[in-house]
C-alpha cells in the first residue's frame, strides 16, 4: 500500500488509509472541525492521487474502524458477497471510477459489483469524482423497492409529503397534507414528524392518515417518524404502520446516541413484517446525513463522507423501501455553505445508489448556515438529473416544526415538469382521477386543498 | 415611473393596477400613488419623506385563484402556520410568496446572532455565566466549546449554586435568544411553581450564554443535582424564531448518550404555549425522578 505521492515538486506522505480518505475530501467544515481535513489544495490532490492507486484489497484490509470494535463495520463485512469481491479486488480505485463511468458499464453491472464492495471502497470512488461525474454515475443506477406501491420506476420522481405541525394538531396536519396532495406530492410516503414522541400521538397520526388514504383510495404508504422504539410499541398495539422509520449513522457510538442498535433494528424489521399494515417486502424508511457523527462526537476520527457511506452499508441489510439523505439538516459546524451541501447531496446520492439503496435526497438548509433558496434549488435540480428516487414536499418549503427549508410542493411539481418526470404509476392514475394532473402537468384545479372538502 | 401621455394609456395603467390590487399585490395606497403618477405630466422624483410604501399582504389572505371552496381554504389556513393556500404561478410560487419567504429567511438568519439582553437577565433575576465559546461565531463553528462552561463559569457555578438539589434549571440561549426572551417570562414561573407545589427541591435557575445541550452535563457534574433541565433556544425557523426546547436528563455521567435525554420541543405561542409547558414539564420531571431514568430508558419503563 503506497501512501506517499508527489504533486509536481512537492511530496506528501500519509500515515494511514483513514488519513488519506479524510484528506481526499472536498472542503467541508465538519472535517475541518475534527481536524482531519487536508491542509492545502495540493495536499488534497495528493491524497486523491494516493487513493486512486490503492486496490480494493488494500481497502478491504483496512476498514476505518476495526471489525471487532464496531457493529457498523461488522454489518458491512458480514453482508459482503466474497465471490464478487474476489473477482474485483485487484482493481484500483481509479479504475473503479472509470468502470462506473464507462459507456459499456450498465446499471445492472453496477448492481452486481455493488454486492462485492465495502462502504469504504464506494466512498473512495466518490472522492475521485467531480459534480458531473457523480451525476453521470448516479443516473445509471436505478434501485426499485416495493411497499404498497413501487418506488424508483424509470421516468418517475416521487415525493414524501411532510405535513408537520408544531402541536401535532390533526386538523392542521390534514390541511398541509391536502395542499401537498393537490400538488401531486405524497407518492413516496405521507410521513409526519411528531412533536410528542409517545404511542398515543403516533397512533393517532397513523390512523388519521391511513383512514384518509382508504377514504380517497390514495395509493401510497404512511409513516410517523418517531423514535423506532415508540413506533414498535404502537405496532404492538395494532397501529397501522406501513413503514417503520429510524435515523441511523455510520458508527456504533453514534447509533448508541440515537438509541438504536442492530438488535433493535432487527426486531423492528421483524415486527413490521408480522404486524405492519403494508404489502412489502420493503418496510423500512431510514434517514441519514453527513455530520451526525461529528455533531454527537462519535466520529472516531473518520471523515463525514466515509461515515455516511458506512451508514449505507449498515442500512442495506434491512432492504429499506426508502433511504433519505438530509445532509443540510444540522448546521454550519458540519456543512458550512450551499456549495458544501450540494456537493454532499451528490456524493450521498451516488454512494447510496452504489450500495444498492433506493435513495432520495432532501436538498435542505438551516438558517444558521451560509446557504439560501438558490443553492437549494440548484441542488434539487442536480439531484433530480442524477436520478434521485424522491424528494420531500414541505408547504412553501418551510417546515414550521423542524425549522429548516426543504423542497416545497411547488418545487416537486416544477422538478417533474422541467425534466419530464412522472409520479409513480399508480399515483399518477389517482392524480388524474382527482383532476390534479393531466399529461404530466398540473391542471387548473391543482394546488387547491379544498378539492377534498366536498 | 412611466407617465401616461394619452387617455388609452391611463385606462390600461388603471386596469392593471386594479387587477394587482385585487390579487393583493398592491395596496390601495400604492394603487392611488401609481395612478396619481400616471395622471401627472412630469416625472416624479423619489420622495423619501413620503409615508407610502409597499408591504406584504396579510399572511392569512387566501391566494388561490378560483378555489373550489374558498371558505374551506381560509379555515385551513387558520389551523396551521404552514405556508398553505398560497396558490401558484404555473408550478412556481406567486411573487408575494417568494418575496415573503426571502424576507422571513433574512429575519431568521439575523435571529441567530442576537444576544439575550442584560436588561432581560436583570428583570428575571438570573445569574449569568458563559460557555467556553467566547463569541457567536465561535459558538457556531465549535460545538465542543458550547458544550462546556468557561473556566470562570466553573468557578462561579461552584461558588454560587446550591449543591445536591433534586432539580437544577438552566436557561441557555442555544441557537435563539429570541426564544428565551419570548418564553421564559411565562414558562419559568409556571415551572418553578409546579415543582415547588410538588415538593421538589429546586436550585436557583441561571442563564448560560453561547451554550449547547450538552453543557447541562458539565453543570450537573458540579451541582450534583438528580435532574438537570435546560430551557434552550432551538434553531430559528422561517415561521418563528421563538421556539424553545426543554432537554432533561437524570444524573448524567461519562457513559451518558444522547438517547438518555428527554426532550419537549416547540414551546412557543404557536406551539406548546409557555405557561402550559410549565405544567407539562412538571409532570415529565416527576416521571423522570420517580423512574430515576430519562430518554429512551424512561420510555422503555412506561
Ligand atoms: C437538528 C436536530 C437533529 C440533529 C441533531 C444535530 C444537532 N447538532 O442539532 C439530528 C439529525 C442528528 C437529529 C437526530 C434525531 N432527532 Co432531532 N431534531 C433536531 C431539531 C430539528 C433541531 C434541534 C435544535 O435546534 N437544537 C438546539 C441546539 C442548540 O442543540 P445542540 O446542542 O446544538 O444539538 C443537540 C440537540 O439538537 C440534540 N437533539 C436533536 N434531536 C434530538 C432528539 C432527541 C430525542 C434528543 C434526546 C436530543 C436531540 O442533539 C444535538 C447534540 O447534542 C429538533 C426540532 C426542534 N424543533 O427542536 C429535532 C428533534 C429534537 N429531534 C427529534 C428526534 C425524534 C430525533 C431522532 C430520535 C429521530 C430518530 N427517530 O432517530 C434522532 C436521534 C436523536 C438522538 N438521540 O441523538 C424530535 C424529538 C421528539 C421528542 N420529543 O423526543 C425533534 C423535536 C423533532 C421532531 N419533532 O421530530 N435531530
Amino acid at each position: 500500500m503506497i501512501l506517499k505521492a508527489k504533486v509536481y515538486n512537492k511530496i506528501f506522505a500519509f500515515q494511514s488509509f483513514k488519513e488519506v480518505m479524510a484528506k481526499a475530501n472536498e472542503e467541508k467544515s465538519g472535517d475541518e472541525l475534527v481536524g482531519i481535513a487536508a491542509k492545502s489544495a495540493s495536499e488534497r490532490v495528493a491524497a486523491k492521487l494516493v487513493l486512486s492507486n490503492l486496490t480494493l484489497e488494500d481497502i478491504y484490509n483496512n476498514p476505518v474502524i476495526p471489525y471487532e470494535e464496531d457493529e457498523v463495520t461488522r454489518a458491512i463485512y458480514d453482508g459482503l458477497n466474497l465471490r464478487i469481491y474476489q473477482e474485483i479486488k485487484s482493481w484500483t480505485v481509479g479504475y473503479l471510477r472509470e468502470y462506473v463511468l464507462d459507456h459499456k458499464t450498465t446499471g445492472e453491472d453496477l448492481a452486481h459489483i455493488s454486492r462485492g464492495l465495502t462502504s469504504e471502497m464506494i466512498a473512495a470512488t466518490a472522492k475521485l469524482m467531480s459534480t458531473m461525474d457523480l451525476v453521470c454515475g448516479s443516473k445509471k443506477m436505478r434501485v426499485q423497492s416495493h411497499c404498497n406501491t413501487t418506488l424508483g420506476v424509470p421516468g418517475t420522481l416521487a415525493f414524501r409529503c411532510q405535513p408537520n405541525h408544531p402541536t401535532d394538531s390533526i386538523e392542521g396536519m390534514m390541511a398541509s397534507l391536502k395542499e401537498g396532495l393537490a400538488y401531486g406530492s405524497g407518492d413516496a410516503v405521507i410521513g409526519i414528524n411528531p412533536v410528542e414522541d409517545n404511542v398515543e400521538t403516533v397512533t393517532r397520526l397513523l390512523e388519521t392518515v391511513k383512514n384518509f388514504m382508504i377514504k380517497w383510495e390514495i395509493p401510497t404508504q404512511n409513516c410517523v417518524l418517531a423514535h423506532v422504539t415508540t413506533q414498535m410499541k404502537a405496532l404492538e398495539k395494532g397501529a397501522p404502520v406501513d413503514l417503520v422509520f429510524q435515523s441511523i449513522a455510520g458508527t456504533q457510538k453514534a447509533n448508541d446516541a440515537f438509541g438504536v442498535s442492530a438488535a433493535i433494528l432487527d426486531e423492528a424489521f421483524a415486527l413490521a413484517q408480522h404486524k405492519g399494515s403494508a404489502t412489502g417486502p420493503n418496510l423500512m424508511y431510514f434517514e441519514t446525513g453527513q455530520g451526525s457523527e461529528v455533531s454527537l462526537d462519535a466520529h472516531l476520527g473518520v471523515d463525514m463522507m466515509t461515515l455516511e457511506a458506512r451508514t449505507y452499508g449498515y442500512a442495506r441489510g434491512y432492504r429499506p423501501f426508502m433511504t433519505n439523505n438530509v445532509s443540510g439538516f444540522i448546521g454550519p459546524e458540519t456543512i458550512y455553505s450551499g456549495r458544501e451541501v450540494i456537493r454532499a447531496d451528490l456524493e450521498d446520492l451516488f454512494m447510496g445508489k452504489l450500495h444498492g439503496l433506493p435513495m432520495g435526497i432532501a436538498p435542505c438548509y438551516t438558517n444558521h448556515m451560509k446557504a439560501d433558496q438558490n443553492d437549494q434549488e440548484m441542488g434539487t435540480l442536480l439531484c433530480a438529473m442524477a436520478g434521485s428516487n424522491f424528494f420531500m414536499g414541505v408547504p412553501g418549503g418551510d417546515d414550521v416544526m423542524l425549522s429548516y427549508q426543504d423542497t416545497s410542493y411547488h418545487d416537486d411539481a416544477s422538478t417533474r415538469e422541467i425534466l419530464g418526470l412522472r409520479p409513480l404509476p399508480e399515483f399518477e392514475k389517482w392524480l388524474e382521477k382527482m383532476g390534479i394532473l393531466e399529461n404530466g402537468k398540473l391542471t387548473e384545479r391543482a394546488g387547491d386543498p379544498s378539492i377534498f372538502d366536498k | 415611473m412611466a407617465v401616461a401621455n394619452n387617455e388609452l394609456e391611463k385606462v390600461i395603467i388603471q386596469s392593471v393596477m386594479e387587477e394587482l390590487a385585487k390579487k393583493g399585490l398592491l395596496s390601495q395606497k400604492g394603487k392611488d400613488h401609481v395612478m396619481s403618477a400616471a395622471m401627472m405630466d412630469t416625472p416624479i422624483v423619489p420622495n423619501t419623506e413620503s409615508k407610502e410604501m409597499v408591504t406584504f399582504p396579510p399572511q392569512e389572505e387566501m391566494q388561490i385563484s378560483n378555489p373550489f371552496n374558498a371558505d374551506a381554504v381560509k379555515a385551513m389556513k387558520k389551523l396551521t402556520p404552514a405556508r398553505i393556500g398560497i396558490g401558484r404561478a404555473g408550478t412556481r410560487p406567486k411573487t408575494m410568496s417568494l418575496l415573503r419567504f426571502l424576507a422571513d429567511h433574512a429575519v431568521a438568519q439575523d435571529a441567530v446572532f442576537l444576544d439575550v439582553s442584560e436588561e432581560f437577565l436583570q428583570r428575571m433575576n438570573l445569574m449569568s455565566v458563559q460557555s467556553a465559546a467566547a463569541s457567536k461565531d465561535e459558538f457556531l463553528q465549535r460545538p465542543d466549546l458550547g458544550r462546556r462552561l468557561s473556566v470562570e463559569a466553573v468557578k462561579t457555578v461552584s461558588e454560587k449554586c446550591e449543591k445536591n438539589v433534586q432539580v437544577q434549571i438552566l436557561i441557555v440561549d442555544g441557537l435563539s435568544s429570541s426564544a428565551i426572551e419570548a418564553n421564559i417570562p411565562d414558562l419559568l414561573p409556571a415551572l418553578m411553581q409546579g415543582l415547588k407545589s410538588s415538593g421538589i427541591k429546586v436550585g436557583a435557575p441561571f442563564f448560560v450564554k453561547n451554550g449547547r445541550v450538552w453543557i447541562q452535563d458539565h453543570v450537573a457534574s458540579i451541582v450534583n443535582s438528580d435532574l438537570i433541565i435546560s430551557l434552550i433556544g432551538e434553531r430559528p425557523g422561517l415561521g418563528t424564531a421563538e421556539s424553545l426546547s426543554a432537554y432533561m436528563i437524570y444524573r448524567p455521567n461519562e457513559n451518558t448518550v444522547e438517547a438518555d435525554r428527554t426532550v419537549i420541543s416547540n414551546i412557543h405561542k404557536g406551539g406548546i404555549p409557555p405557561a402550559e409547558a410549565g405544567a407539562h414539564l412538571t409532570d415529565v420531571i416527576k416521571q423522570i425522578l420517580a423512574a430515576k431514568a430519562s430518554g429512551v430508558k424512561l420510555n422503555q419503563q412506561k
Side-chain angles (χ1 to χ4, degrees):
Chain A
M1 194 163 67
I2 304 170
L3 296 180
K4 209 185 217 176
K6 189 169 168 193
V7 176
Y8 297 113
N9 54 358
K10 251 183 139 175
I11 295 169
F12 295 88
F14 303 98
Q15 299 306 311
S16 64
F17 169 64
K18 185 165 146 178
E19 184 190 351
V20 174
M21 287 291 268
K23 293 195 164 158
N25 279 347
E26 298 295 300
E27 239 172 277
K28 287 203 200 87
S29 59
D31 291 339
E32 266 151 40
L33 175 64
V34 173
I36 54 176
K39 298 271 181 300
S40 67
S42 312
E43 191 185 24
R44 175 167 295 118
V45 181
K48 287 186 203 276
L49 190 57
V50 166
L51 200 54
S52 72
N53 183 58
L54 295 179
T55 63
L56 302 186
E57 188 172 12
D58 292 332
I59 297 181
Y60 181 92
N61 292 332
N62 289 282
V64 289
I65 305 171
Y67 181 91
E68 299 72 29
E69 290 167 24
D70 189 281
E71 192 174 83
V72 175
T73 310
R74 289 197 287 278
I76 294 166
Y77 279 77
D78 295 349
L80 207 63
N81 181 305
L82 291 173
R83 181 188 184 122
I84 299 173
Y85 163 69
Q86 292 295 340
E87 284 164 14
I88 57 177
K89 68 178 184 188
S90 62
W91 291 9
T92 62
V93 179
Y95 175 77
L96 179 53
R97 171 184 169 278
E98 289 174 4
Y99 177 81
V100 167
L101 297 172
D102 197 304
H103 270 135
K104 290 193 289 296
T105 307
T106 63
E108 275 301 308
D109 296 331
L110 293 176
H112 181 76
I113 63 157
S114 162
R115 300 186 57 216
L117 296 174
T118 64
S119 301
E120 279 94 330
M121 298 171 194
I122 292 171
T125 313
K127 285 168 203 256
L128 300 184
M129 296 169 81
S130 70
T131 297
M132 269 199 214
D133 292 358
L134 292 167
V135 175
C136 287
S138 294
K139 195 177 160 63
K140 277 191 184 179
M141 298 180 272
R142 266 274 155 196
V143 182
Q144 291 193 23
S145 54
H146 190 279
C147 182
N148 294 324
T149 58
T150 310
L151 186 64
V153 178
T156 66
L157 177 59
F159 299 96
R160 161 184 165 195
C161 187
Q162 182 171 311
N164 294 343
H165 189 277
T167 60
D168 296 325
S169 150
I170 291 288
E171 295 78 20
M173 177 279 289
M174 283 307 300
S176 292
L177 171 56
K178 288 173 187 171
E179 172 111 346
L181 291 169
Y183 279 88
S185 178
D187 42 354
V189 60
I190 296 169
I192 305 158
N193 299 84
V195 179
E196 296 260 357
D197 199 288
N198 61 49
V199 177
E200 299 73 52
T201 305
V202 169
T203 306
R204 189 156 33 94
L205 289 167
L206 283 165
E207 281 173 352
T208 308
V209 171
K210 195 68 179 184
N211 291 338
F212 192 75
M213 282 164 59
I214 294 169
K215 177 171 175 205
W216 289 91
E217 301 178 320
I218 311 171
T220 185
Q221 21 279 320
N222 74 349
C223 182
V224 172
L225 291 78
H227 193 266
V228 65
T229 52
T230 311
Q231 295 166 78
M232 287 160 76
K233 279 195 186 149
L235 258 174
E236 293 277 15
K237 291 193 173 158
V241 178
D242 286 340
L243 284 170
V244 173
F245 168 85
Q246 182 52 39
S247 296
I248 52 171
T251 65
Q252 184 174 336
K253 191 173 175 198
N255 287 318
D256 280 345
F258 281 0
V260 293
S261 61
I264 293 177
L265 292 176
D266 288 345
E267 203 185 320
F269 189 32
L271 206 58
Q273 282 169 318
H274 297 302
K275 300 209 163 156
S277 45
T279 310
N282 308 109
L283 300 167
M284 304 290 283
Y285 169 4
F286 289 128
E287 256 173 28
T288 71
Q290 292 193 31
S292 55
E293 301 86 356
V294 170
S295 140
L296 291 160
D297 202 11
H299 50 77
L300 306 176
V302 180
D303 67 277
M304 299 198 297
M305 188 181 169
T306 304
L307 291 173
E308 181 68 7
R310 287 168 51 86
T311 309
Y312 301 144
Y314 191 55
R316 65 175 161 184
Y318 298 97
R319 315 215 164 279
F321 174 69
M322 54 198 288
T323 307
N324 179 34
N325 168 275
V326 209
S327 279
F329 190 73
I330 294 180
E333 67 273 32
T334 56
I335 306 248
Y336 185 73
S337 61
R339 189 187 149 99
E340 290 187 15
V341 187
I342 295 173
R343 172 74 201 181
D345 286 343
L346 291 168
E347 290 168 353
D348 299 344
L349 182 57
F350 173 79
M351 297 194 299
K353 285 187 171 210
L354 195 48
H355 275 87
L357 290 173
M359 286 304 292
I361 298 284
C364 58
Y365 64 104
T366 60
N367 294 313
H368 53 321
M369 272 167 69
K370 208 168 170 46
D372 67 14
Q373 194 54 24
N374 295 313
D375 299 311
Q376 199 259 7
E377 292 178 12
M378 286 191 276
T380 304
L381 285 173
L382 283 168
C383 291
M385 287 193 271
S388 176
N389 276 359
F390 62 92
F391 294 112
M392 304 294 103
V394 176
D398 162 25
D399 190 309
V400 291
M401 193 278 289
L402 294 172
S403 290
Y404 80 117
Q405 285 83 255
D406 208 328
T407 38
S408 65
Y409 298 148
H410 294 74
D411 295 342
D412 295 357
S414 305
T415 311
R416 276 184 186 143
E417 290 192 21
I418 292 168
L419 296 172
L421 298 167
R422 294 298 183 92
L424 299 183
E426 307 89 328
F427 198 79
E428 176 163 18
K429 282 203 196 94
W430 178 79
L431 288 172
E432 282 171 355
K433 188 178 86 185
M434 291 294 296
I436 294 168
L437 200 78
E438 229 174 68
N439 302 321
K441 282 199 159 172
L442 292 184
T443 63
E444 277 295 306
R445 217 170 117 86
D448 173 7
S450 70
I451 56 172
F452 295 98
D453 290 75
K454 284 206 260 216
Chain B
M1 174 53 61
V3 172
N5 290 327
N6 58 46
E7 280 312 302
L8 182 64
E9 247 180 22
K10 280 181 195 165
V11 172
I12 293 172
I13 292 178
Q14 180 149 27
S15 54
V16 168
M17 292 302 144
E18 263 157 21
E19 207 43 47
L20 285 177
K22 244 191 257 164
K23 298 208 162 118
L25 293 178
L26 197 71
S27 64
Q28 183 60 39
K29 269 192 185 164
K31 189 185 115 194
D32 294 344
H33 179 72
V34 173
M35 278 320 294
S36 64
M39 301 304 158
M40 281 192 307
D41 290 325
T42 47
I44 51 162
V45 287
N47 176 2
T48 46
E49 273 156 39
S50 161
K51 294 207 171 63
E52 288 152 335
M53 56 190 126
V54 190
T55 55
F56 291 107
Q59 188 122 32
E60 60 277 9
E61 210 166 275
M62 205 268 304
Q63 300 288 347
I64 301 174
S65 338
N66 305 317
F68 180 74
N69 182 341
D71 289 337
V73 182
K74 283 181 201 152
M76 280 189 245
K77 279 183 73 73
K78 290 212 176 81
L79 295 167
T80 175
R83 286 161 206 256
I84 61 163
I86 56 176
R88 57 197 175 84
T91 57
R92 301 308 296 154
K94 294 200 162 183
T95 305
M96 278 302 135
S97 306
L98 176 67
L99 297 182
R100 190 195 294 277
F101 183 101
L102 296 181
D104 291 344
H105 183 225
V107 173
Q109 282 177 301
D110 293 344
V112 177
F113 290 93
L114 296 178
D115 278 323
V116 172
S117 70
E118 277 308 317
E119 181 271 324
F120 176 84
L121 296 173
Q122 273 168 19
R123 180 151 49 89
M124 295 301 297
N125 199 14
L126 291 169
M127 175 178 97
S128 167
V129 299
Q130 193 158 334
S131 78
S135 65
K136 278 277 178 270
D137 276 320
E138 195 169 52
F139 166 75
L140 287 175
Q141 279 157 35
R142 293 283 306 273
D144 52 324
L145 298 180
R147 287 170 169 172
R148 55 172 204 265
L149 295 170
S150 68
V151 178
E152 206 191 318
V154 172
K155 209 166 145 251
T156 314
V157 171
S158 323
E159 282 169 11
K160 301 224 167 116
C161 292
E162 194 177 348
K163 310 287 165 342
N164 311 318
V165 291
Q166 279 177 288
V167 172
Q168 175 65 52
I169 303 174
L170 301 182
I171 291 125
V172 189
D173 50 2
L175 289 165
S176 170
S177 294
S178 318
I180 303 300
E181 298 208 9
N183 297 296
I184 294 301
D186 283 341
L187 173 56
L188 189 58
L191 177 59
M192 291 293 281
Q193 178 57 37
L195 294 174
K196 275 202 189 112
S197 61
S198 308
I200 294 169
K201 193 160 167 33
V202 190
F206 65 93
F207 174 74
V208 187
K209 186 175 169 175
N210 294 340
R212 300 236 177 211
V213 170
W214 290 4
I215 206 157
Q216 60 182 204
D217 300 2
H218 193 186
V219 174
S221 74
I222 302 170
V223 301
N224 193 37
S225 56
D226 285 338
L227 181 152
I228 187 154
I229 170 170
S230 301
L231 306 172
I232 188 169
E234 293 169 10
R235 62 198 199 179
L238 297 195
T240 178
E242 296 185 353
S243 196
L244 184 105
S245 281
Y247 285 82
M248 290 156 272
I249 185 162
Y250 186 82
R251 293 213 157 267
N253 58 40
E254 59 285 356
N255 298 321
T256 289
V257 293
E258 200 61 13
D260 294 336
R261 291 175 223 282
T262 294
V263 54
I264 304 292
S265 73
N266 283 269
I267 300 172
H268 60 97
K269 61 176 184 287
I272 309 175
E276 227 171 87
H280 185 34
L281 290 175
T282 305
D283 283 345
V284 178
I285 287 173
K286 284 201 272 191
Q287 284 173 29
I288 295 175
L289 289 174
K292 295 189 190 309
S294 48
V296 172
K297 284 181 190 144
L298 172 71
N299 294 343
Q300 298 302 43
Q301 289 186 25
K302 277 191 200 160

